[in-house]
Amino acid sequence: MGFWFITPQLMQNQLGFSALMAGVAFFPLTIVNFIVALQVARLTAKWGNGGLLVAGIGLTMLGMLWMSRFTPTVGYWWGIAAPMLVVGIGQGLSLSPFTAAGVAHTQGADAGAASGVVNVMHQIGGSVGLSILVTTQGLFSGRIVGYQHAILAGAGLLLLALLAAIFLIVPGERK
């Protein structure tokens, strides 16, 4: 969530994009995310929910690490759009498996409640993550350095999610 909040600001403040162009500049991520998400059912049958989740989180984290190297001299295409492709693939692979992992192993009567908890946690996690990224960004003078550190903080949060998936979700699938 924080990525979606601070990256358009970066594009507007550092690259001179209008608000509309900053929104359009998310097309690479959105299109790739959509295409990959259409393949999730087929890929889940091949790799399993946990494998797909680990791959998706890992790719999203790598894209964020790449994007943390952004400077205005690198520019939009190599500094933002190309890493967005990696983030889009990762998000496309992981969003559906996140939900599936949240409702797995629940009784049919409890599936609706489990889905509600997953959605609430998604919203709370997005809010907490956004506050961490914005706070991190504000700790550094200079917009680029603050952005870089905020994106690194997001990558750190993704590392925690990756470890949780590896050690909590994947072993549960094997049972």
Side-chain angles (χ1 to χ4, degrees):
M1 294 293 232
F3 168 79
W4 292 87
F5 178 77
I6 63 174
T7 302
Q9 292 177 4
L10 175 83
M11 288 188 267
Q12 291 175 54
N13 295 329
Q14 297 300 314
L15 297 175
F17 285 23
S18 68
L20 176 62
M21 281 308 300
V24 170
F26 273 85
F27 276 177
L29 184 148
T30 305
I31 291 169
V32 169
N33 188 324
F34 176 74
I35 292 168
V36 171
L38 292 174
Q39 306 305 314
V40 167
R42 183 178 57 80
L43 294 172
T44 300
K46 184 175 183 177
W47 293 352
N49 193 59
L52 213 55
L53 188 56
V54 167
I57 296 169
L59 285 169
T60 304
M61 185 179 71
L62 289 174
M64 294 285 281
L65 287 171
W66 182 0
M67 197 170 293
S68 74
R69 307 304 306 150
F70 171 82
T71 63
T73 57
V74 172
Y76 167 76
W77 290 106
W78 192 244
I80 296 175
M84 271 187 181
L85 294 174
V86 178
V87 170
I89 292 168
Q91 286 182 345
L93 290 174
S94 60
L95 291 178
S96 178
F98 267 131
T99 302
V103 297
H105 310 296
T106 58
Q107 300 295 323
D110 297 330
S115 177
V117 169
V118 167
N119 286 319
V120 166
M121 294 312 296
H122 180 77
Q123 296 301 317
I124 291 171
S127 299
V128 171
L130 175 59
S131 66
I132 290 170
L133 269 60
V134 169
T135 300
T136 302
Q137 184 178 21
L139 292 174
F140 296 91
S141 62
R143 292 181 183 178
I144 295 298
V145 173
Y147 174 80
Q148 290 170 333
H149 282 85
I151 292 297
L152 281 173
L157 293 172
L158 285 165
L159 176 61
L160 293 175
L162 180 61
L163 292 172
I166 290 170
F167 293 111
L168 299 174
I169 295 172
V170 172
E173 269 192 352
R174 293 185 184 144
K175 291 182 179 179

